[in-house]
Amino acid sequence: MSQATENLILTLPDGSAREVAVGTTPLEVAADIGPRLAKDAVGAEVEGKLVDLRQPLAEGGAFRLFTAKDAEAGIFIRHSAEHVMADAVKRLWPEVEIDVGRIDHSEKFQYDFRFPRAFTPEDLEQIEAKMGEILAEDSTFERIEVSREEAARIFAEMGETLKVERLKDIPEGESITIYRDGSFTDLCRGPHVQRSSQIGAVKLLEASGVYWKGDETNEMLQRIYGTAFAKKEELASYLEQVEQAKARDHRRLGVDLDLFSFNEHAPATPLFHPKGAEIYNTLVDYIRELQNRRGFEEVITPQILDVDLWHLSGHYDNYREAMFFSEVDEREFAVKPMNCPTHCLIYKTRLRSYRDLPVRYSDFGRLHRYERSGVTSGLTRVRSFAQDDAHVFCTEEQIEAEVLAMISTIMEIYDTFGFESIEIELSTRPAKSLGTAEMWAKAEEALKAALGNADIDYTIHPGEGAFYGPKVDFQVNDALGRQWQLGTVQLDYSMPERFELEYIGADGAEHQPVMIHRAMLGSLERFIGILIEHTGGAFPLWLAPVQAVVLPVSEKFLEYGETVREQLRDAGVRVQLDGRNEKLGYRIREAQLQKVPYMLVVGAREQEAGQVAVRLRTGEDRGAQTVAEFLPGLRELVESRSREL
RNA sequence: GCCGGCAUAGCUCAGAGGUAGAGCAGCGGUCUUGUAAACCGCAGGUCGUCGGUUCGAUUCCGACUGCCGGCUCCA
């Protein structure tokens, strides 16, 4: 009981150390440094954790104070703006009940309300205006620690029944704080700014209905999203950034680059135009080449199979609501949502020896899954797609080597596309699953052993596995910093059992093989969508649907342009000739917008010397060279699947 | 599936209760073009679909379809 005498050491960014008593607040530290800092501070950080200026410090360590100039201030500002918004809503509609705000304030804030109708865009304007009034009041954010009972009483008195419910979710023993600013009181762990005037610019973004606690069976609340910054200019630049991101949107680029389209007659299923199909097929060629070198054999399997098969595989029971069905000759068929059952059928066509294993089947077959209407989006979530799918049938002893080989291939592929910082996740048995506990334990252990022995870092996602087995998923970050799940390696003891798959072991007895499901790019559609946004449509040369365009300076050089095109075409280059009656600048601009890697200008000088003037889409001018000089470099880049030009 | 928004020419968008306009693209001409948009002209639309209100609807109302932003879901 000597808390009053205990001291903490705080290390400031300049390296200096300060000794303060336990229970000192960051604000007091700021005041000690200088009155100006105390006034301007919006928040603090201890050992990398953001803390409220009024929160008594319990531990020392690396210590920082933030003012509006620091990027971190945004977290405090948006979290505080969130309360101001809730205050505004309550002032406008006193009967509204509040639920909770957002956890991640790195970009946005949000608040959920129990409100009898949806908020309209006009409501948002009104709320934003009211927020302006509240900000003008420049009220102070007050932090109060209360007991659980006190908190329950306060919110019950305020009629905030959702809040009282939420209070029950706070683990016993955790301290409970409430924040007050203006006329608003909320259960909140903070941290917040000191005064509302530190919130310089606010914008409400959109409203939407959300399920309470994210559960579809719960009532729907109304959520409002917004963002806030210390300065108006920061808000403007954020909105500008959002606007610019739209230019990279694969749905936008898909139209601009003439890659694919969608049609009302086939919702959520893309129609690939020639250029999109070129990319698609080039990707398939790449994967095919890579995996065939590693012992995979490609198979082609039916699109539509008797529903009996899907009963046998377990898909019907687990996945029926996401399948397409068709009745013909009074017989029920299902369109395949996965390839694995058909691969089991091939496996079973003859007696397998342990000497045959592993059997590795790959399949680029088209799959159909009925995705609920509200969830589809561009190429990233479609109802018809193909995967770079494969299934390996092997013995238990072979699992580790197979999984490791898959992982190394997957990493090689991601490297080709320039995806970095790949995160690996191990997902374990979900609630809805096939097979016994022992099967699952064995499968999960096998994957852990493979990952562990290869010294691969991974995180465990409990209950996120496939219904037939645990899996290792690969998350990549694209150029825009977004995370996507691409590859997956899934262990399956269940399907072999259901299909009664066997092999004859060295002991002459029958054994059951293990099945490994594998995808690397995942859905090709989705991968193309991600790649479009990752590259902004400027595909690496080997994938570019048009690799070079020949541009005669005028009609007079059209004929020479044609001979150049023929030379390149014969060499296997995807080349076009733009001999339209337009100025060179016009056609350059167009090729540039189409992100064609090479523009080959031919005029009098080039014709004379049998050359082409090489311009890159980067704007670089390579000068004049003969086709014979130009080709080898291009070929080398294509063959090595380089990202360079 | 749930909440909200949107739907006008190939694309981007304007418009009003009296059956529609611009820019770009397209087509025709002039120009014969040298590294990110030459000039002139022409054509192009059942205003997503169906129903209702109205003398009259593309405009107002409703349903449906599709798309967009969220929620949930994604074996």
Side-chain angles (χ1 to χ4, degrees):
Chain A
M1 299 276 268
S2 59
Q3 71 270 40
T5 60
E6 244 176 274
N7 283 344
L8 307 169
I9 306 291
L10 300 176
T11 314
L12 274 59
D14 65 2
S16 69
R18 250 166 208 273
E19 192 170 342
V20 299
V22 167
T24 303
T25 67
L27 192 56
E28 286 161 355
V29 177
D32 195 38
I33 294 172
R36 178 68 186 271
L37 183 58
K39 182 167 165 287
D40 290 349
V42 295
E45 183 186 73
V46 180
E47 284 294 304
K49 263 185 68 183
L50 300 183
V51 294
D52 191 280
L53 288 171
R54 288 134 305 198
Q55 182 174 340
L57 295 171
E59 279 159 29
F63 180 82
R64 265 184 84 189
L65 288 160
F66 301 118
T67 66
K69 287 201 286 286
D70 298 299
E72 289 87 345
I75 309 271
F76 296 84
I77 289 168
R78 285 181 277 282
H79 194 171
S80 305
E82 185 170 282
H83 284 218
V84 173
M85 174 178 77
D87 191 3
V89 170
K90 291 230 42 156
R91 289 192 197 189
L92 288 165
W93 298 279
E95 72 283 6
V96 78
E97 274 182 49
I98 56 171
D99 185 34
V100 291
R102 194 176 174 94
I103 293 168
D104 172 16
H105 292 96
S106 57
E107 200 177 322
K108 292 178 185 178
F109 65 77
Q110 71 192 40
Y111 216 102
D112 295 353
F113 303 96
R114 182 184 256 161
F115 194 56
R117 60 175 177 84
F119 289 107
T120 65
E122 293 72 38
D123 290 336
L124 295 196
E125 278 174 37
Q126 210 185 335
I127 296 164
E128 211 175 279
K130 183 62 79 181
M131 287 176 74
E133 290 174 28
I134 296 172
L135 291 181
E137 293 168 10
D138 193 17
S139 53
T140 306
F141 279 80
E142 205 184 330
R143 179 181 187 276
I144 308 156
E145 288 196 30
V146 293
S147 69
R148 183 175 296 265
E149 296 68 32
E150 210 176 329
R153 185 183 53 76
I154 290 170
F155 291 107
E157 270 174 19
M158 287 164 54
E160 301 288 3
T161 58
L162 292 173
K163 241 16 211 203
V164 175
E165 280 303 306
R166 288 284 184 178
L167 197 53
K168 292 177 187 159
D169 293 339
I170 298 178
E172 209 56 53
E174 206 165 290
S175 75
I176 292 173
T177 54
I178 59 176
Y179 275 84
R180 275 213 173 98
D181 69 289
S183 52
F184 186 69
T185 301
D186 193 10
L187 175 70
C188 180
R189 63 172 76 85
H192 287 283
V193 298
Q194 294 194 61
R195 300 176 304 281
S196 54
S197 59
Q198 290 174 321
I199 304 166
V202 169
K203 176 150 182 71
L204 297 187
L205 301 169
E206 67 228 351
S208 137
V210 295
Y211 302 108
W212 189 52
K213 292 189 177 181
D215 186 336
E216 225 176 344
T217 59
N218 285 342
E219 72 170 300
M220 192 159 255
L221 304 179
Q222 299 300 326
R223 175 175 297 174
I224 301 174
Y225 291 90
T227 190
F229 293 88
K231 295 198 178 63
K232 288 199 170 58
E233 303 78 67
E234 289 177 69
L235 172 64
S237 97
Y238 168 78
L239 295 174
E240 168 69 26
Q241 210 183 309
V242 170
E243 207 49 45
Q244 275 175 2
K246 281 187 194 160
R248 268 182 110 105
D249 190 313
H250 75 276
R251 294 167 298 192
R252 174 79 252 148
L253 286 168
V255 174
D256 291 347
L257 304 181
D258 195 18
L259 302 177
F260 57 84
S261 61
F262 287 89
N263 189 283
E264 212 173 325
H265 292 107
T269 58
L271 288 83
F272 282 99
H273 299 10
K275 288 178 187 169
E278 186 69 56
I279 296 169
Y280 186 109
N281 285 325
T282 306
L283 284 172
V284 170
D285 289 346
Y286 171 44
I287 299 299
R288 183 177 278 142
E289 178 193 314
L290 205 69
Q291 67 190 7
N292 288 1
R293 273 208 317 262
R294 289 164 167 75
F296 285 78
E297 301 172 291
E298 191 168 334
V299 297
I300 298 169
T301 57
Q303 204 63 51
I304 297 170
L305 301 104
D306 194 295
V307 80
D308 287 351
L309 179 80
W310 306 106
H311 277 114
L312 178 62
S313 70
H315 287 91
Y316 190 89
D317 288 335
N318 286 281
Y319 202 59
R320 180 183 34 217
E321 63 285 0
M323 290 170 69
F324 287 96
F325 295 96
S326 166
E327 203 189 288
V328 177
D329 290 343
E330 291 169 41
R331 199 172 154 184
E332 205 183 355
F333 291 90
V335 182
K336 70 174 167 186
M338 285 180 115
N339 290 312
C340 32
T342 59
H343 294 184
C344 290
L345 296 180
I346 296 175
Y347 182 92
K348 267 175 85 84
T349 54
R350 42 176 267 229
L351 196 57
R352 306 283 173 172
S353 151
Y354 70 97
R355 292 182 220 266
D356 299 329
L357 303 186
V359 166
R360 306 184 186 92
Y361 292 146
S362 72
D363 197 329
F364 294 100
R366 187 137 291 275
L367 307 175
H368 290 80
R369 300 181 184 177
Y370 175 76
E371 301 283 0
R372 294 159 97 194
S373 62
V375 308
T376 61
S377 173
L379 288 181
T380 51
R381 194 83 179 268
V382 292
R383 288 182 179 156
S384 170
F385 62 100
Q387 292 178 308
D388 54 342
D389 201 10
H391 295 94
V392 169
F393 302 87
C394 65
T395 69
E396 280 190 31
E397 294 70 42
Q398 290 168 332
I399 292 174
E400 189 176 326
E402 286 301 307
V403 170
L404 281 176
M406 287 173 183
I407 292 174
S408 97
T409 310
I410 287 172
M411 297 308 241
E412 178 183 335
I413 288 171
Y414 295 167
D415 185 56
T416 300
F417 294 101
F419 290 120
E420 285 160 11
S421 67
I422 292 132
E423 286 168 36
I424 298 179
E425 296 175 350
L426 172 66
S427 298
T428 59
R429 187 175 193 180
K432 209 173 163 188
S433 63
L434 299 176
T436 64
E438 297 79 65
M439 260 184 193
W440 277 87
K442 210 156 69 172
E444 288 172 10
E445 281 316 308
L447 286 179
K448 279 184 193 166
L451 289 167
N453 290 346
D455 228 12
I456 289 168
D457 284 334
Y458 63 96
T459 53
I460 295 183
H461 286 229
E464 298 290 316
F467 70 82
Y468 45 71
K471 57 178 184 167
V472 176
D473 289 329
F474 296 78
Q475 308 275 351
V476 308
N477 288 298
D478 69 12
L480 299 175
R482 292 168 311 181
Q483 202 172 58
W484 299 96
Q485 193 212 299
L486 299 183
T488 185
V489 171
Q490 312 180 344
L491 224 51
D492 184 356
Y493 287 84
S494 164
M495 210 67 70
E497 182 169 296
R498 293 185 151 239
F499 278 87
E500 296 175 319
L501 303 184
E502 289 166 354
Y503 68 88
I504 306 300
D507 57 1
E510 292 172 350
H511 300 273
Q512 196 177 86
V514 177
M515 197 170 165
I516 309 173
H517 306 242
R518 183 230 66 188
M520 304 191 286
L521 302 180
S523 147
L524 287 162
E525 281 66 9
R526 192 153 155 274
F527 187 80
I528 290 170
I530 294 165
L531 197 60
I532 290 170
E533 301 191 3
H534 184 64
T535 60
F539 298 102
L541 185 65
W542 67 279
L543 272 174
V546 178
Q547 295 168 318
V549 60
V550 179
L551 301 169
V553 168
S554 81
E555 242 167 43
K556 284 182 277 190
F557 313 106
L558 195 52
E559 210 171 307
Y560 175 61
E562 275 163 5
T563 68
V564 169
R565 178 186 58 188
E566 290 320 306
Q567 277 177 279
L568 291 170
R569 201 178 257 170
D570 287 348
V573 179
R574 296 191 289 266
V575 60
Q576 286 185 350
L577 174 75
D578 185 355
R580 288 177 303 169
N581 182 18
E582 296 287 354
K583 281 193 163 342
L584 181 62
Y586 177 92
R587 286 173 290 150
I588 295 238
R589 174 181 151 83
E590 193 136 303
Q592 202 65 55
L593 292 172
Q594 289 292 308
K595 326 263 169 151
V596 177
Y598 296 109
M599 283 152 260
L600 308 175
V601 177
V602 293
R605 296 194 294 272
E606 289 75 19
Q607 182 168 13
E608 182 76 11
Q611 293 178 320
V612 292
V614 182
R615 179 197 160 102
L616 273 56
R617 69 178 169 207
T618 59
E620 187 189 335
D621 183 356
R622 287 265 170 90
Q625 37 188 289
T626 62
V627 171
E629 285 163 345
F630 171 70
L631 269 176
L634 180 143
R635 276 218 186 100
E636 163 57 26
L637 292 172
V638 170
E639 273 160 28
S640 64
R641 298 192 173 89
S642 171
R643 279 178 275 134
E644 307 294 318
L645 286 185

